[in-house]
Amino acid sequence: MFRTALRNVLAHKARLLMTVLAVMLGVAFVSGTLVFTDTLGNAFRNQSAKSYDDVAVAVSTYADGDDDTPGIDDATLEKIRALDGVASATGRVSGFAGVADPDGKLIGNGWSNTGANFSPGKGGKDGAYTFTDGTGPLKTGQVALDQETANKGEYHVGDPVRVATNGPVKQYTLSGVFTTEDGAVNAGGSLVLFDTATAQTLFLKPGVFEDATVTAAAGASDKAILDAIEPLLPKDATAQTGKALADEQAKQIESGMSGLNAMLLAFAGIALFVGVFLIANTFTMLVAQRTRELALMRAIGASRRQIKRSVLIEAAVVGTLASVIGFVLGIGLATGLRSATSLIGGKIPAGPLIISPVAVGAAFGVGILITVLAAWLPARRAAKIAPVAAMSSVHAVATTKSLIVRNSIGAVIALIGAAGIVGGAATGGEDGRYLVAAGAFLALIGIIVLIPLLSRPAVAAVRPLLRKLFGVSGKLAAQNAVRNPRRTGATASALAIGLTLVTGISVLGVTLGQAIDKMTTDNIRADYMVSMASGDSLDESALTALSKADGVTALSPQQSVYFRVDGEFQSASGVTPGDVEKVFSLKTVSGSLSSLKDGEVAVGSKTAKSNGWKTGDTLPVTFDDEKKATVKVGALYEENEFLSPFVVPKAFADAHSSTSRPDIREIWIKTAGGASKANEQAVVNALGDNPAMSVMDQQDIRDTFGGFVNTALNIMYGLLAMALLIAVLGVVNTLAMSVFERQQEIGMLRAIGLDRGRVKRMIRLEAVVISVFGAVIGVGLGVFLGWAIGRTLADQIPGYALVVPWDRIALFLVLAGLVGVLASLWPARSGAKLNMLTAIKTE
């Protein structure tokens, strides 16, 4: 039976090619994902371990310049240096620092743009950096840049460099260029080195460090040094050995990689799930075409178990071959992903490609197992073929009983799934999303089971149109599409799954995008928003400078402050009374926002209602420093998504801020004449042309939030493309085998006058009907899922309203039709080229 299985594989090379491709693509995705994430994790772990190679003990604090979190002062650092076994102790301080490119724009992505201190030891070198040109900054007014930033900014040693921190932009002289394994640089950011005194003044306070690294003398114990250091540290400081810290970071890296790994593997699973239908379809048709052969084997003594084993061995051979090719392609895919990451600005540390036993085992296990499982039902059917079937060329057909059982089971599963989806939408929140996910899985299974039943009325509905437009070719195409409903259903199912996911994601993405867009236009009156590219708070000097800018008619910060009311934590926005109404759309429910000028506060109406507050109430508040006060509610307003539930005068926020500097997250600006290039330039000039400060108009704000949604959509589309490609292969395979089965019929049609052009048209129309049928099912279910998932998010998204992207749906249906046309090219050409006399003689 093993020899028989091998003979069948070799005898049907062309027929099994599509199956090999389907399994191969799925295996490539799985193995590529595992190799890529293993390589990525290993590279970052090695980088982390390398950065702590010479570190005996690492000390960390939460220093922010306040006395409550004092950091490590020079005296403490000297005491550490004096300990037995300590070779050196280096203090570190860091914060945000951004560099302008030749056009004045920020180099890097903002959140990973870092400034730190250059701390030379013996010989004038800092072991954390390797200089390729010049030296480290040794005095005030000098900076050094990482190699990548220097290249992007076209800077050379001796050039003036404009550097922005959280204060006004300043100009420095470039003293040197260096290379580093710093994580911020590898994340696509930049690193600016200052002399220690300057860095301390900019990021903390003079004479104080945030962290320290300690190296050990030869033969000294890291644990002994750690025990000696701990009593010297301030209360909020923590100390770890370099090895412990490297191990901790390795675990964090592994945890971070697990999320990426899970997401990529989920899409690989979808691709394999779609591939199951192609594999099952292929083996079902192969078994049907070999009915007489298998029956003859039964007649000469082969048992049912041997027949079944023969088909499964055939599947295992195909799965093994596909797994080998897929695994090799997966390694290439991992290499490509690594290169692509570098092209889009991410930096992966150098390191070898990691091919772990888990990746190898998963690739081959998945490839072979999926193929064998998909072939199990066809193998089971093959084993049931009676020997008497060898006397007839008629293929076995499904009994009425089996179809009734199948459709009944499918209907029950689909209804349970639909109920789960609706129930999840009604429940909402995270629990609702889990319920929707479970319901979606069941609904998909149910629809897949029912698709053969649904295909008949669906094709019957379009048959008159096909006959009217394409004559005999259209009529024959419609009849061929429903001749074998199970085969048509299995082919359409693959496309339906892919388009269900694509449509659901599109509906959800467009709906969220519209909600975000509406949130911006409904809540903002300001022409511009100013914020730090790093996400940090703005310096008070920016507010002062903007108040003097030409054309500014209203100006208000959004300054964060926190307190407790009746023991419950509340957040508040410090604003400019009188101007806040001009930069935000605030609808007053009761009272007047002018009361802010009198030191009163405004409260969001939902927050007030949930707490039983009303205009005129006096509320006892407790601040972070445990100081207490009372505030009077002067107004209630409809919540604005860009403001906290409490709105307070800026003077109130300043008086009760828990930090040494005001926490100004944004500054909102209204200008005379509205947004214009002249007004925007005036704002930029007032800020000192600071590259670290982002100036956005309303359209920029909408694009920023909407851009995130669009980027996520494009990534999803890209990852789902493989599943759709496998679905396309399924259409090709079905048509090719259908043509093979119908050789005699096609020969007869040719003999009675159907020319080659109409044969091609018949096969193309059949492909289009199957593809569009699957697409319609997928689009319908996708819209349903998009609505349900959206309902679970509605409470978290103000102004949520379902948006069905009809233009994209129409495009999906057109593309499905195009897929059918392209998939039919080879089968149609093969069918049209059949020699009619040879075809008529074929059994």
Side-chain angles (χ1 to χ4, degrees), residues 101-126:
D101 65 12
D103 297 324
K105 303 298 182 182
L106 183 69
I107 296 174
N109 48 32
W111 58 267
S112 60
N113 288 0
T114 307
N117 65 306
F118 175 70
S119 184
K122 294 177 181 179
K125 294 183 178 181
D126 188 329

Side-chain angles (χ1 to χ4, degrees), residues 476 483 738-756 759 762-763 830-843:
L476 292 172
R483 176 177 294 182
S738 178
V739 168
F740 180 83
E741 279 183 2
R742 302 194 326 252
Q743 286 187 68
Q744 189 177 54
E745 174 188 321
I746 292 172
M748 289 293 295
L749 291 171
R750 292 276 289 112
I752 62 176
L754 194 69
D755 59 31
R756 289 183 175 180
V759 169
M762 174 187 72
I763 297 171
S830 300
K833 288 177 68 177
L834 285 174
N835 182 289
M836 63 181 74
L837 295 178
T838 303
I840 290 171
K841 291 188 296 180
T842 301
E843 291 188 10

Side-chain angles (χ1 to χ4, degrees), residues 285-602:
M285 288 186 282
L286 286 174
V287 166
Q289 290 169 10
R290 286 158 45 199
T291 299
R292 293 187 67 182
E293 174 190 331
L294 295 172
L296 281 170
M297 291 176 66
R298 290 277 287 114
I300 62 175
S303 67
R304 288 186 173 185
R305 181 177 297 178
Q306 286 177 312
I307 297 294
K308 184 176 179 181
R309 190 186 308 149
S310 172
V311 177
L312 292 179
I313 289 172
E314 190 175 337
V317 171
V318 172
T320 302
L321 177 63
S323 297
V324 171
I325 301 172
F327 185 71
V328 173
L329 284 177
I331 294 173
L333 179 63
T335 305
L337 284 172
R338 186 171 179 171
S339 300
T341 302
S342 300
L343 288 175
I344 62 175
K347 287 188 176 181
I348 299 175
L353 202 66
I354 302 300
I355 303 174
S356 66
V358 172
V360 176
F364 282 86
V366 165
I368 297 170
L369 186 64
I370 288 292
T371 311
V372 171
L373 285 177
W376 184 80
L377 276 177
R380 187 168 174 268
R381 292 195 197 105
K384 289 184 176 181
I385 295 174
V388 73
M391 306 302 294
S392 171
S393 62
V394 179
H395 298 163
V397 296
T399 64
T400 303
K401 179 181 177 182
S402 70
L403 291 174
I404 292 173
V405 170
R406 174 192 175 109
N407 295 332
S408 299
I409 292 173
V412 170
I413 294 174
L415 286 173
I416 293 173
I421 294 171
V422 173
T427 303
E430 187 175 0
D431 291 341
R433 286 191 286 278
Y434 283 125
L435 196 55
V436 169
F441 178 75
L442 291 175
L444 265 176
I445 298 297
I447 292 294
I448 289 166
V449 174
L450 286 173
I451 272 186
L453 175 66
L454 299 174
S455 65
R456 287 188 178 276
V459 175
V462 298
R463 185 183 299 166
L465 180 63
L466 291 173
R467 185 169 52 217
K468 183 177 181 180
L469 293 176
F470 303 103
V472 174
S473 296
K475 179 181 178 181
L476 292 172
Q479 289 175 343
N480 290 333
V482 294
R483 176 177 294 182
N484 190 331
R486 284 188 174 181
R487 184 171 63 202
T488 298
T491 306
S493 294
L495 276 170
I497 293 167
L499 281 171
T500 294
L501 298 171
V502 169
T503 305
I505 289 170
S506 295
V507 169
L508 188 60
V510 171
T511 297
L512 293 178
Q514 292 275 10
I516 291 170
D517 193 61
K518 187 174 186 297
M519 179 180 70
T520 304
T521 55
D522 287 356
N523 289 302
I524 298 173
R525 289 181 178 173
D527 297 316
Y528 299 103
M529 180 189 80
V530 175
S531 61
M532 290 296 293
S534 62
D536 293 332
S537 58
L538 290 153
D539 191 78
E540 185 85 23
S541 60
L543 194 62
T544 303
L546 287 169
S547 67
K548 301 174 183 177
D550 294 337
V552 173
T553 58
L555 183 73
S556 178
Q558 200 283 88
Q559 181 173 327
S560 297
V561 63
Y562 306 94
F563 48 73
R564 296 190 302 277
V565 180
D566 294 331
E568 186 176 347
F569 180 83
Q570 301 287 350
S571 63
S573 295
V575 300
T576 303
D579 281 2
V580 66
E581 306 97 312
K582 298 174 184 177
V583 296
F584 292 110
S585 296
L586 294 176
K587 185 177 180 181
T588 305
V589 175
S590 64
S592 173
L593 290 171
S594 62
S595 61
L596 292 172
K597 295 180 180 179
D598 301 323
E600 297 178 2
V601 303

